[in-house]
Amino acid sequence: MSKAANPVVLLIEDERQMRRFLRVSLSANGYQLIEAETAAEGMTLAASHNPELILLDLGLPDLDGLEVTQRLREWTQVPLIVISARGQEEDKIKALDAGADDYLTKPFGVGELLARIRVSLRRASATDDGQPVFTLGDLKVDLFRRQVLVGGKEVHLTPIEYKLVALLVKHAGRVLTHRQLLREVWGPHHSEQTQYLRVYMGQLRHKLESNPSRPQYLVTEPGVGYRLRLPSP
Amino acid sequence: MSKAANPVVLLIEDERQMRRFLRVSLSANGYQLIEAETAAEGMTLAASHNPELILLDLGLPDLDGLEVTQRLREWTQVPLIVISARGQEEDKIKALDAGADDYLTKPFGVGELLARIRVSLRRASATDDGQPVFTLGDLKVDLFRRQVLVGGKEVHLTPIEYKLVALLVKHAGRVLTHRQLLREVWGPHHSEQTQYLRVYMGQLRHKLESNPSRPQYLVTEPGVGYRLRLPSP
DNA sequence: GGCGCGCATCAAGAACTCATAAAGATGGCC
DNA sequence: GGCCATCTTTATGAGTTCTTGATGCGCGCC
């Protein structure tokens, strides 16, 4: 990820006035701005330009802001600040839980916005990992396209199978406990159903591994959970 | 740090009412609270208890909140959320630039606070990387990945073996008594079963030491307990 | 030297966890 | 309504891990 002197910020906002206001404020403070008027355009630009931060207005004409947040979070951890005219607590909670890093209610001070941008960038530069395409031997997982390839051939995964793989990819190299996996994929109520995991890990191994009974990628950590191997460097 | 089921939150706040309010709200939502009334006490507790998140009131009697933020940031990246009665933009900017991750103005909704706490913890658990890798000669213990390497090769440990190693690593250099080890790993009921320790220490030595009968890393302190050597500096 | 004590080692069965296959349940879609 | 893919549930055997008791060693003390 380019950590240039002038960070690239993607602004997704439909109001012209607001766009102009932010364009002026941000570029005056050393940010490079790219702009989108619709959610669709915004998501395309996010993928093509790989910005270092996204400012997202919740009130877009074509798609709900929550939806945009969730879709972005499927493949990228880029800092995402939501700005919105809606100040209801419920809106904030939903946006934050959907994956936003911060939530600002209009009208807000430019100074505060800039400070919150600095916080997000500061944190991101300390982290900066994970490309949206994960490769390990024969296996390729493209979080953006939502596509899994084995030996170049596309493999079809069911929704739950995909969620599991995506989670494992996002934390590749780490052990994810049964509880963590179950909570993220099935929800907090099912965090005791370890049998689900056994069944699904079996299915995934059949789809992803060349020798499912001797897993190379998807390894069991007995008594703890599962782990996706990292590509050996 | 341990992503336990109940994250430990440190609250630094001088108003009794506010403390009670937050204590109730947070513990009802599965957080373990530790409380400080003054900045001095807060910083001590932050160091001694290693909380997973800090809630800091700006208006403390003994020290300015900004000062506290800066001092904390000198040695820890723990998520830090500032709550304050002052809603001036200038205050927010200063706190955020001093190192706070978020800033909430009183009065705020509990729901929003909880959501922002979730955001901070979510990010922290995804980031945590890079810190805690213990190295001692041939031996490497990565607590974040839950991985143990000997001479660069991964070694598989059973849950109990790993718990023991993790405990020893966390207290590397110090002697852990039989009782301490047994209580932490097997639970308070088994704190007399020193035989367990003998068996497991033996297994660990076979897995970790090059010459298990002459332990270099995992040393016995006769009559007391066991100790993991510190890397000689 | 004989004895007691704490420690290390070994081995075997009990208890638990995992993998796998396959049957039953659900829900969308024509 | 019936089909299909998917998800849930159950059953079973294989595989690990934990516990437990037996045995041997070394050291200090009588």
Side-chain angles (χ1 to χ4, degrees), chain A residues 89 92-93 96-97 99 101-103 109-112 116 118 122-123 174 180 222 224 227, chain B residues 3 89 92 96-97 100-103 109 111-112 116 118 122-123 125 144 146-147 154 156:
Chain A
E89 192 178 10
K92 298 190 195 178
I93 296 172
L96 293 171
D97 280 337
D101 289 283
D102 207 336
Y103 188 109
V110 188
E112 179 175 356
R116 290 188 183 268
R118 283 194 295 276
R122 175 176 74 208
R123 219 169 12 217
R174 277 184 72 186
Q180 285 178 307
V224 187
R227 187 161 61 87
Chain B
K3 238 191 35 183
E89 191 176 10
K92 298 190 194 177
L96 292 170
D97 279 339
D101 288 282
D102 208 337
Y103 189 107
E112 179 174 355
R116 288 186 183 270
R118 284 194 294 275
R122 183 212 304 154
R123 212 164 22 212
S125 82
F144 178 65
R146 199 187 185 281
Q147 192 172 243
E154 184 168 353
H156 173 78

mmCIF file of all heavy atoms in Angstrom, chain A residues 89 92-93 96-97 99 101-103 109-112 116 118 122-123 174 180 222 224 227, chain B residues 3 89 92 96-97 100-103 109 111-112 116 118 122-123 125 144 146-147 154 156:
data_model
loop_
_atom_site.group_PDB
_atom_site.id
_atom_site.type_symbol
_atom_site.label_atom_id
_atom_site.label_comp_id
_atom_site.label_asym_id
_atom_site.label_seq_id
_atom_site.Cartn_x
_atom_site.Cartn_y
_atom_site.Cartn_z
ATOM 1 N N GLU A 89 -29.081 7.351 17.403
ATOM 2 C CA GLU A 89 -28.131 6.398 17.955
ATOM 3 C C GLU A 89 -28.183 5.073 17.192
ATOM 4 O O GLU A 89 -27.161 4.466 16.888
ATOM 5 C CB GLU A 89 -28.443 6.165 19.437
ATOM 6 C CG GLU A 89 -27.345 5.417 20.142
ATOM 7 C CD GLU A 89 -27.621 5.235 21.628
ATOM 8 O OE1 GLU A 89 -28.740 5.527 22.063
ATOM 9 O OE2 GLU A 89 -26.700 4.799 22.341
ATOM 10 N N LYS A 92 -26.057 5.057 14.129
ATOM 11 C CA LYS A 92 -24.634 4.983 14.430
ATOM 12 C C LYS A 92 -24.234 3.546 14.756
ATOM 13 O O LYS A 92 -23.240 3.024 14.235
ATOM 14 C CB LYS A 92 -24.295 5.867 15.637
ATOM 15 C CG LYS A 92 -24.575 7.339 15.432
ATOM 16 C CD LYS A 92 -23.985 8.136 16.585
ATOM 17 C CE LYS A 92 -24.560 9.542 16.605
ATOM 18 N NZ LYS A 92 -24.034 10.327 17.734
ATOM 19 N N ILE A 93 -25.013 2.930 15.631
ATOM 20 C CA ILE A 93 -24.673 1.573 16.065
ATOM 21 C C ILE A 93 -24.614 0.627 14.875
ATOM 22 O O ILE A 93 -23.677 -0.154 14.718
ATOM 23 C CB ILE A 93 -25.706 1.072 17.096
ATOM 24 C CG1 ILE A 93 -25.628 1.936 18.352
ATOM 25 C CG2 ILE A 93 -25.466 -0.385 17.439
ATOM 26 C CD1 ILE A 93 -26.722 1.674 19.359
ATOM 27 N N LEU A 96 -21.486 1.334 12.718
ATOM 28 C CA LEU A 96 -20.249 0.907 13.368
ATOM 29 C C LEU A 96 -20.153 -0.616 13.395
ATOM 30 O O LEU A 96 -19.100 -1.186 13.140
ATOM 31 C CB LEU A 96 -20.191 1.477 14.793
ATOM 32 C CG LEU A 96 -20.050 3.006 14.867
ATOM 33 C CD1 LEU A 96 -20.227 3.498 16.296
ATOM 34 C CD2 LEU A 96 -18.685 3.448 14.334
ATOM 35 N N ASP A 97 -21.275 -1.277 13.672
ATOM 36 C CA ASP A 97 -21.238 -2.732 13.721
ATOM 37 C C ASP A 97 -21.085 -3.347 12.333
ATOM 38 O O ASP A 97 -20.613 -4.473 12.190
ATOM 39 C CB ASP A 97 -22.497 -3.283 14.405
ATOM 40 C CG ASP A 97 -22.378 -3.203 15.922
ATOM 41 O OD1 ASP A 97 -21.231 -3.149 16.409
ATOM 42 O OD2 ASP A 97 -23.419 -3.193 16.607
ATOM 43 N N GLY A 99 -19.073 -2.299 10.230
ATOM 44 C CA GLY A 99 -17.652 -2.286 9.882
ATOM 45 C C GLY A 99 -17.031 -0.901 9.763
ATOM 46 O O GLY A 99 -15.849 -0.776 9.467
ATOM 47 N N ASP A 101 -15.313 2.551 10.896
ATOM 48 C CA ASP A 101 -14.378 2.842 11.970
ATOM 49 C C ASP A 101 -14.812 4.034 12.797
ATOM 50 O O ASP A 101 -14.426 4.177 13.944
ATOM 51 C CB ASP A 101 -12.986 3.130 11.387
ATOM 52 C CG ASP A 101 -12.351 1.871 10.856
ATOM 53 O OD1 ASP A 101 -11.872 1.086 11.673
ATOM 54 O OD2 ASP A 101 -12.377 1.661 9.633
ATOM 55 N N ASP A 102 -15.591 4.929 12.171
ATOM 56 C CA ASP A 102 -16.020 6.105 12.898
ATOM 57 C C ASP A 102 -17.312 6.618 12.254
ATOM 58 O O ASP A 102 -17.652 6.230 11.131
ATOM 59 C CB ASP A 102 -14.931 7.178 12.854
ATOM 60 C CG ASP A 102 -14.999 8.093 14.070
ATOM 61 O OD1 ASP A 102 -16.083 8.198 14.677
ATOM 62 O OD2 ASP A 102 -13.964 8.698 14.405
ATOM 63 N N TYR A 103 -18.009 7.476 12.980
ATOM 64 C CA TYR A 103 -19.289 7.973 12.501
ATOM 65 C C TYR A 103 -19.395 9.441 12.886
ATOM 66 O O TYR A 103 -19.306 9.773 14.071
ATOM 67 C CB TYR A 103 -20.413 7.172 13.148
ATOM 68 C CG TYR A 103 -21.802 7.444 12.597
ATOM 69 C CD1 TYR A 103 -22.445 6.488 11.822
ATOM 70 C CD2 TYR A 103 -22.478 8.620 12.893
ATOM 71 C CE1 TYR A 103 -23.732 6.690 11.335
ATOM 72 C CE2 TYR A 103 -23.753 8.846 12.404
ATOM 73 C CZ TYR A 103 -24.380 7.885 11.625
ATOM 74 O OH TYR A 103 -25.645 8.094 11.145
ATOM 75 N N GLY A 109 -17.504 19.877 12.377
ATOM 76 C CA GLY A 109 -16.411 20.810 12.119
ATOM 77 C C GLY A 109 -15.338 20.151 11.274
ATOM 78 O O GLY A 109 -15.070 18.958 11.434
ATOM 79 N N VAL A 110 -14.770 20.923 10.385
ATOM 80 C CA VAL A 110 -13.703 20.368 9.538
ATOM 81 C C VAL A 110 -12.543 19.898 10.406
ATOM 82 O O VAL A 110 -11.930 18.862 10.141
ATOM 83 C CB VAL A 110 -13.163 21.422 8.551
ATOM 84 C CG1 VAL A 110 -12.216 20.775 7.571
ATOM 85 C CG2 VAL A 110 -14.292 22.104 7.832
ATOM 86 N N GLY A 111 -12.269 20.674 11.422
ATOM 87 C CA GLY A 111 -11.157 20.314 12.302
ATOM 88 C C GLY A 111 -11.345 18.929 12.891
ATOM 89 O O GLY A 111 -10.420 18.114 12.912
ATOM 90 N N GLU A 112 -12.542 18.647 13.350
ATOM 91 C CA GLU A 112 -12.793 17.334 13.934
ATOM 92 C C GLU A 112 -12.661 16.242 12.879
ATOM 93 O O GLU A 112 -12.045 15.207 13.119
ATOM 94 C CB GLU A 112 -14.188 17.276 14.565
ATOM 95 C CG GLU A 112 -14.462 15.899 15.147
ATOM 96 C CD GLU A 112 -15.786 15.817 15.903
ATOM 97 O OE1 GLU A 112 -16.461 16.861 16.048
ATOM 98 O OE2 GLU A 112 -16.124 14.711 16.335
ATOM 99 N N ARG A 116 -10.103 13.131 13.014
ATOM 100 C CA ARG A 116 -10.521 11.722 12.988
ATOM 101 C C ARG A 116 -9.887 10.987 11.813
ATOM 102 O O ARG A 116 -9.597 9.794 11.891
ATOM 103 C CB ARG A 116 -12.044 11.617 12.978
ATOM 104 C CG ARG A 116 -12.649 12.043 14.331
ATOM 105 C CD ARG A 116 -14.138 11.764 14.415
ATOM 106 N NE ARG A 116 -14.715 12.234 15.664
ATOM 107 C CZ ARG A 116 -14.836 11.468 16.765
ATOM 108 N NH1 ARG A 116 -14.422 10.228 16.757
ATOM 109 N NH2 ARG A 116 -15.376 11.969 17.865
ATOM 110 N N ARG A 118 -6.911 11.742 10.725
ATOM 111 C CA ARG A 118 -5.541 11.488 11.184
ATOM 112 C C ARG A 118 -5.478 10.254 12.082
ATOM 113 O O ARG A 118 -4.579 9.421 11.955
ATOM 114 C CB ARG A 118 -5.000 12.712 11.934
ATOM 115 C CG ARG A 118 -4.559 13.850 11.026
ATOM 116 C CD ARG A 118 -3.722 14.878 11.779
ATOM 117 N NE ARG A 118 -4.454 15.594 12.816
ATOM 118 C CZ ARG A 118 -5.218 16.675 12.596
ATOM 119 N NH1 ARG A 118 -5.356 17.158 11.373
ATOM 120 N NH2 ARG A 118 -5.836 17.262 13.595
ATOM 121 N N ARG A 122 -3.313 7.070 11.150
ATOM 122 C CA ARG A 122 -2.252 6.731 12.087
ATOM 123 C C ARG A 122 -2.333 5.243 12.449
ATOM 124 O O ARG A 122 -1.347 4.520 12.395
ATOM 125 C CB ARG A 122 -2.430 7.584 13.346
ATOM 126 C CG ARG A 122 -1.496 7.281 14.481
ATOM 127 C CD ARG A 122 -1.727 8.272 15.615
ATOM 128 N NE ARG A 122 -2.961 8.030 16.359
ATOM 129 C CZ ARG A 122 -3.666 8.986 16.992
ATOM 130 N NH1 ARG A 122 -3.300 10.236 16.927
ATOM 131 N NH2 ARG A 122 -4.757 8.680 17.658
ATOM 132 N N ARG A 123 -3.536 4.816 12.743
ATOM 133 C CA ARG A 123 -3.722 3.434 13.148
ATOM 134 C C ARG A 123 -3.454 2.493 11.984
ATOM 135 O O ARG A 123 -2.827 1.458 12.132
ATOM 136 C CB ARG A 123 -5.136 3.251 13.656
ATOM 137 C CG ARG A 123 -5.208 2.361 14.835
ATOM 138 C CD ARG A 123 -6.566 2.406 15.458
ATOM 139 N NE ARG A 123 -7.535 3.078 14.627
ATOM 140 C CZ ARG A 123 -8.500 3.847 15.088
ATOM 141 N NH1 ARG A 123 -8.602 4.060 16.374
ATOM 142 N NH2 ARG A 123 -9.360 4.393 14.281
ATOM 143 N N ARG A 174 -3.095 -17.568 11.793
ATOM 144 C CA ARG A 174 -3.531 -17.598 13.187
ATOM 145 C C ARG A 174 -4.487 -18.750 13.420
ATOM 146 O O ARG A 174 -5.224 -19.137 12.528
ATOM 147 C CB ARG A 174 -4.305 -16.330 13.529
ATOM 148 C CG ARG A 174 -3.473 -15.164 13.885
ATOM 149 C CD ARG A 174 -4.390 -14.036 14.282
ATOM 150 N NE ARG A 174 -5.010 -14.264 15.573
ATOM 151 C CZ ARG A 174 -5.943 -13.461 16.072
ATOM 152 N NH1 ARG A 174 -6.365 -12.429 15.400
ATOM 153 N NH2 ARG A 174 -6.446 -13.707 17.258
ATOM 154 N N GLN A 180 -14.750 -18.646 18.117
ATOM 155 C CA GLN A 180 -14.653 -17.489 17.218
ATOM 156 C C GLN A 180 -15.308 -17.781 15.883
ATOM 157 O O GLN A 180 -16.087 -16.983 15.365
ATOM 158 C CB GLN A 180 -13.179 -17.139 16.984
ATOM 159 C CG GLN A 180 -12.513 -16.446 18.142
ATOM 160 C CD GLN A 180 -11.040 -16.184 17.862
ATOM 161 O OE1 GLN A 180 -10.306 -17.095 17.511
ATOM 162 N NE2 GLN A 180 -10.618 -14.946 18.020
ATOM 163 N N PRO A 222 -6.063 -29.429 17.506
ATOM 164 C CA PRO A 222 -6.954 -30.211 18.366
ATOM 165 C C PRO A 222 -7.252 -29.506 19.678
ATOM 166 O O PRO A 222 -6.357 -28.973 20.325
ATOM 167 C CB PRO A 222 -6.168 -31.503 18.597
ATOM 168 C CG PRO A 222 -5.200 -31.579 17.475
ATOM 169 C CD PRO A 222 -4.857 -30.157 17.138
ATOM 170 N N VAL A 224 -8.659 -26.813 20.101
ATOM 171 C CA VAL A 224 -8.646 -25.356 20.038
ATOM 172 C C VAL A 224 -9.464 -24.821 18.869
ATOM 173 O O VAL A 224 -10.436 -24.099 19.055
ATOM 174 C CB VAL A 224 -7.207 -24.825 19.913
ATOM 175 C CG1 VAL A 224 -7.200 -23.322 20.016
ATOM 176 C CG2 VAL A 224 -6.320 -25.447 20.965
ATOM 177 N N ARG A 227 -6.855 -23.539 11.523
ATOM 178 C CA ARG A 227 -5.930 -22.514 11.084
ATOM 179 C C ARG A 227 -5.650 -22.712 9.596
ATOM 180 O O ARG A 227 -5.552 -23.836 9.121
ATOM 181 C CB ARG A 227 -4.626 -22.657 11.868
ATOM 182 C CG ARG A 227 -3.628 -21.587 11.652
ATOM 183 C CD ARG A 227 -2.641 -21.606 12.790
ATOM 184 N NE ARG A 227 -1.927 -22.863 12.875
ATOM 185 C CZ ARG A 227 -0.802 -23.107 12.189
ATOM 186 N NH1 ARG A 227 -0.303 -22.196 11.417
ATOM 187 N NH2 ARG A 227 -0.200 -24.256 12.316
ATOM 188 N N LYS B 3 -7.659 -12.883 24.301
ATOM 189 C CA LYS B 3 -8.965 -12.398 23.907
ATOM 190 C C LYS B 3 -10.007 -13.212 24.652
ATOM 191 O O LYS B 3 -10.728 -14.004 24.083
ATOM 192 C CB LYS B 3 -9.149 -12.503 22.393
ATOM 193 C CG LYS B 3 -9.454 -11.167 21.818
ATOM 194 C CD LYS B 3 -9.913 -11.147 20.396
ATOM 195 C CE LYS B 3 -10.762 -12.263 19.903
ATOM 196 N NZ LYS B 3 -11.064 -12.144 18.483
ATOM 197 N N GLU B 89 -14.876 21.705 19.695
ATOM 198 C CA GLU B 89 -14.113 21.004 18.674
ATOM 199 C C GLU B 89 -12.622 20.963 19.032
ATOM 200 O O GLU B 89 -11.954 19.952 18.854
ATOM 201 C CB GLU B 89 -14.302 21.699 17.314
ATOM 202 C CG GLU B 89 -13.758 20.878 16.180
ATOM 203 C CD GLU B 89 -14.038 21.527 14.828
ATOM 204 O OE1 GLU B 89 -14.478 22.688 14.816
ATOM 205 O OE2 GLU B 89 -13.814 20.867 13.813
ATOM 206 N N LYS B 92 -11.732 18.110 21.250
ATOM 207 C CA LYS B 92 -11.720 16.823 20.553
ATOM 208 C C LYS B 92 -10.438 16.650 19.764
ATOM 209 O O LYS B 92 -9.781 15.612 19.823
ATOM 210 C CB LYS B 92 -12.909 16.742 19.587
ATOM 211 C CG LYS B 92 -14.267 16.827 20.245
ATOM 212 C CD LYS B 92 -15.354 16.493 19.227
ATOM 213 C CE LYS B 92 -16.726 16.901 19.750
ATOM 214 N NZ LYS B 92 -17.788 16.655 18.771
ATOM 215 N N LEU B 96 -7.725 13.661 20.280
ATOM 216 C CA LEU B 96 -7.490 12.689 19.215
ATOM 217 C C LEU B 96 -6.034 12.741 18.765
ATOM 218 O O LEU B 96 -5.404 11.705 18.544
ATOM 219 C CB LEU B 96 -8.425 12.952 18.038
ATOM 220 C CG LEU B 96 -9.910 12.682 18.344
ATOM 221 C CD1 LEU B 96 -10.799 13.190 17.211
ATOM 222 C CD2 LEU B 96 -10.155 11.194 18.579
ATOM 223 N N ASP B 97 -5.489 13.947 18.654
ATOM 224 C CA ASP B 97 -4.099 14.045 18.214
ATOM 225 C C ASP B 97 -3.122 13.590 19.294
ATOM 226 O O ASP B 97 -1.995 13.201 18.995
ATOM 227 C CB ASP B 97 -3.786 15.493 17.793
ATOM 228 C CG ASP B 97 -4.283 15.769 16.371
ATOM 229 O OD1 ASP B 97 -4.463 14.784 15.630
ATOM 230 O OD2 ASP B 97 -4.501 16.941 16.027
ATOM 231 N N ALA B 100 -5.774 9.529 21.482
ATOM 232 C CA ALA B 100 -7.040 8.842 21.739
ATOM 233 C C ALA B 100 -7.557 8.227 20.437
ATOM 234 O O ALA B 100 -7.279 8.726 19.352
ATOM 235 C CB ALA B 100 -8.069 9.815 22.294
ATOM 236 N N ASP B 101 -8.288 7.137 20.568
ATOM 237 C CA ASP B 101 -8.857 6.492 19.384
ATOM 238 C C ASP B 101 -10.242 7.022 19.067
ATOM 239 O O ASP B 101 -10.698 6.928 17.937
ATOM 240 C CB ASP B 101 -8.950 4.979 19.607
ATOM 241 C CG ASP B 101 -7.583 4.350 19.576
ATOM 242 O OD1 ASP B 101 -7.072 4.162 18.473
ATOM 243 O OD2 ASP B 101 -7.035 4.071 20.655
ATOM 244 N N ASP B 102 -10.907 7.542 20.072
ATOM 245 C CA ASP B 102 -12.255 8.040 19.848
ATOM 246 C C ASP B 102 -12.571 9.060 20.931
ATOM 247 O O ASP B 102 -11.883 9.128 21.954
ATOM 248 C CB ASP B 102 -13.259 6.870 19.871
ATOM 249 C CG ASP B 102 -14.477 7.166 19.018
ATOM 250 O OD1 ASP B 102 -14.774 8.349 18.777
ATOM 251 O OD2 ASP B 102 -15.145 6.198 18.600
ATOM 252 N N TYR B 103 -13.626 9.835 20.694
ATOM 253 C CA TYR B 103 -13.987 10.901 21.628
ATOM 254 C C TYR B 103 -15.504 10.974 21.686
ATOM 255 O O TYR B 103 -16.154 11.149 20.650
ATOM 256 C CB TYR B 103 -13.422 12.221 21.112
ATOM 257 C CG TYR B 103 -13.535 13.385 22.074
ATOM 258 C CD1 TYR B 103 -12.406 13.879 22.725
ATOM 259 C CD2 TYR B 103 -14.753 14.015 22.303
ATOM 260 C CE1 TYR B 103 -12.494 14.957 23.584
ATOM 261 C CE2 TYR B 103 -14.853 15.093 23.179
ATOM 262 C CZ TYR B 103 -13.714 15.562 23.820
ATOM 263 O OH TYR B 103 -13.802 16.626 24.673
ATOM 264 N N GLY B 109 -25.327 8.085 24.451
ATOM 265 C CA GLY B 109 -26.149 6.887 24.636
ATOM 266 C C GLY B 109 -25.264 5.691 24.932
ATOM 267 O O GLY B 109 -24.166 5.585 24.388
ATOM 268 N N GLY B 111 -25.771 2.732 24.045
ATOM 269 C CA GLY B 111 -25.655 1.933 22.828
ATOM 270 C C GLY B 111 -24.494 2.391 21.974
ATOM 271 O O GLY B 111 -23.711 1.578 21.478
ATOM 272 N N GLU B 112 -24.384 3.698 21.803
ATOM 273 C CA GLU B 112 -23.287 4.205 20.988
ATOM 274 C C GLU B 112 -21.939 3.898 21.635
ATOM 275 O O GLU B 112 -21.008 3.458 20.956
ATOM 276 C CB GLU B 112 -23.420 5.718 20.781
ATOM 277 C CG GLU B 112 -22.266 6.265 19.951
ATOM 278 C CD GLU B 112 -22.424 7.732 19.601
ATOM 279 O OE1 GLU B 112 -23.471 8.320 19.920
ATOM 280 O OE2 GLU B 112 -21.478 8.283 18.987
ATOM 281 N N ARG B 116 -18.977 1.746 19.928
ATOM 282 C CA ARG B 116 -17.619 2.265 19.697
ATOM 283 C C ARG B 116 -16.580 1.403 20.413
ATOM 284 O O ARG B 116 -15.454 1.246 19.943
ATOM 285 C CB ARG B 116 -17.535 3.731 20.117
ATOM 286 C CG ARG B 116 -18.289 4.648 19.137
ATOM 287 C CD ARG B 116 -18.114 6.117 19.431
ATOM 288 N NE ARG B 116 -18.903 6.955 18.538
ATOM 289 C CZ ARG B 116 -18.462 7.425 17.371
ATOM 290 N NH1 ARG B 116 -17.243 7.136 16.946
ATOM 291 N NH2 ARG B 116 -19.242 8.176 16.620
ATOM 292 N N ARG B 118 -16.948 -1.810 20.783
ATOM 293 C CA ARG B 118 -16.819 -2.986 19.911
ATOM 294 C C ARG B 118 -15.891 -2.696 18.742
ATOM 295 O O ARG B 118 -15.053 -3.520 18.373
ATOM 296 C CB ARG B 118 -18.199 -3.422 19.394
ATOM 297 C CG ARG B 118 -19.029 -4.155 20.427
ATOM 298 C CD ARG B 118 -20.223 -4.852 19.781
ATOM 299 N NE ARG B 118 -21.203 -3.951 19.214
ATOM 300 C CZ ARG B 118 -22.189 -3.378 19.898
ATOM 301 N NH1 ARG B 118 -22.319 -3.620 21.193
ATOM 302 N NH2 ARG B 118 -23.041 -2.565 19.303
ATOM 303 N N ARG B 122 -12.579 -4.761 18.132
ATOM 304 C CA ARG B 122 -12.516 -5.509 16.872
ATOM 305 C C ARG B 122 -11.209 -5.194 16.162
ATOM 306 O O ARG B 122 -10.469 -6.077 15.733
ATOM 307 C CB ARG B 122 -13.713 -5.086 16.010
ATOM 308 C CG ARG B 122 -13.851 -5.812 14.691
ATOM 309 C CD ARG B 122 -14.476 -4.908 13.630
ATOM 310 N NE ARG B 122 -15.778 -4.362 14.021
ATOM 311 C CZ ARG B 122 -16.265 -3.213 13.544
ATOM 312 N NH1 ARG B 122 -15.560 -2.486 12.677
ATOM 313 N NH2 ARG B 122 -17.429 -2.769 13.931
ATOM 314 N N ARG B 123 -10.903 -3.916 16.071
ATOM 315 C CA ARG B 123 -9.709 -3.497 15.368
ATOM 316 C C ARG B 123 -8.469 -4.005 16.100
ATOM 317 O O ARG B 123 -7.529 -4.490 15.491
ATOM 318 C CB ARG B 123 -9.677 -1.979 15.290
ATOM 319 C CG ARG B 123 -9.027 -1.482 14.051
ATOM 320 C CD ARG B 123 -9.357 -0.031 13.842
ATOM 321 N NE ARG B 123 -9.753 0.626 15.076
ATOM 322 C CZ ARG B 123 -10.631 1.608 15.127
ATOM 323 N NH1 ARG B 123 -11.209 2.047 14.038
ATOM 324 N NH2 ARG B 123 -10.928 2.176 16.278
ATOM 325 N N SER B 125 -8.090 -6.594 17.977
ATOM 326 C CA SER B 125 -7.851 -8.032 17.881
ATOM 327 C C SER B 125 -7.370 -8.401 16.491
ATOM 328 O O SER B 125 -6.690 -9.404 16.306
ATOM 329 C CB SER B 125 -9.117 -8.799 18.236
ATOM 330 O OG SER B 125 -9.966 -8.865 17.126
ATOM 331 N N PHE B 144 0.427 -14.658 19.798
ATOM 332 C CA PHE B 144 -0.659 -14.151 18.978
ATOM 333 C C PHE B 144 -1.149 -15.217 18.003
ATOM 334 O O PHE B 144 -2.346 -15.431 17.838
ATOM 335 C CB PHE B 144 -0.190 -12.919 18.214
ATOM 336 C CG PHE B 144 -1.223 -12.350 17.301
ATOM 337 C CD1 PHE B 144 -2.396 -11.813 17.799
ATOM 338 C CD2 PHE B 144 -1.022 -12.358 15.928
ATOM 339 C CE1 PHE B 144 -3.346 -11.289 16.953
ATOM 340 C CE2 PHE B 144 -1.965 -11.832 15.076
ATOM 341 C CZ PHE B 144 -3.129 -11.295 15.593
ATOM 342 N N ARG B 146 -0.479 -18.363 18.346
ATOM 343 C CA ARG B 146 -0.561 -19.617 19.083
ATOM 344 C C ARG B 146 0.305 -20.657 18.406
ATOM 345 O O ARG B 146 -0.156 -21.737 18.039
ATOM 346 C CB ARG B 146 -2.007 -20.106 19.134
ATOM 347 C CG ARG B 146 -2.260 -21.108 20.237
ATOM 348 C CD ARG B 146 -3.639 -21.696 20.156
ATOM 349 N NE ARG B 146 -3.903 -22.569 21.290
ATOM 350 C CZ ARG B 146 -3.453 -23.807 21.363
ATOM 351 N NH1 ARG B 146 -2.738 -24.303 20.401
ATOM 352 N NH2 ARG B 146 -3.718 -24.534 22.422
ATOM 353 N N GLN B 147 1.541 -20.309 18.226
ATOM 354 C CA GLN B 147 2.431 -21.159 17.456
ATOM 355 C C GLN B 147 3.783 -21.261 18.147
ATOM 356 O O GLN B 147 4.292 -20.280 18.666
ATOM 357 C CB GLN B 147 2.605 -20.540 16.074
ATOM 358 C CG GLN B 147 3.265 -21.435 15.079
ATOM 359 C CD GLN B 147 3.211 -20.814 13.690
ATOM 360 O OE1 GLN B 147 2.607 -21.349 12.793
ATOM 361 N NE2 GLN B 147 3.856 -19.671 13.546
ATOM 362 N N GLU B 154 7.819 -25.869 13.050
ATOM 363 C CA GLU B 154 6.660 -25.799 13.918
ATOM 364 C C GLU B 154 6.539 -27.070 14.762
ATOM 365 O O GLU B 154 6.754 -28.168 14.273
ATOM 366 C CB GLU B 154 5.389 -25.624 13.077
ATOM 367 C CG GLU B 154 4.183 -25.448 13.942
ATOM 368 C CD GLU B 154 2.971 -24.973 13.148
ATOM 369 O OE1 GLU B 154 3.137 -24.656 11.963
ATOM 370 O OE2 GLU B 154 1.891 -24.957 13.733
ATOM 371 N N HIS B 156 3.983 -29.133 17.339
ATOM 372 C CA HIS B 156 2.589 -29.210 17.774
ATOM 373 C C HIS B 156 2.487 -29.469 19.267
ATOM 374 O O HIS B 156 3.087 -30.394 19.788
ATOM 375 C CB HIS B 156 1.863 -30.317 17.020
ATOM 376 C CG HIS B 156 0.497 -30.556 17.537
ATOM 377 N ND1 HIS B 156 -0.560 -29.719 17.219
ATOM 378 C CD2 HIS B 156 0.004 -31.483 18.376
ATOM 379 C CE1 HIS B 156 -1.634 -30.158 17.835
ATOM 380 N NE2 HIS B 156 -1.333 -31.213 18.545
#
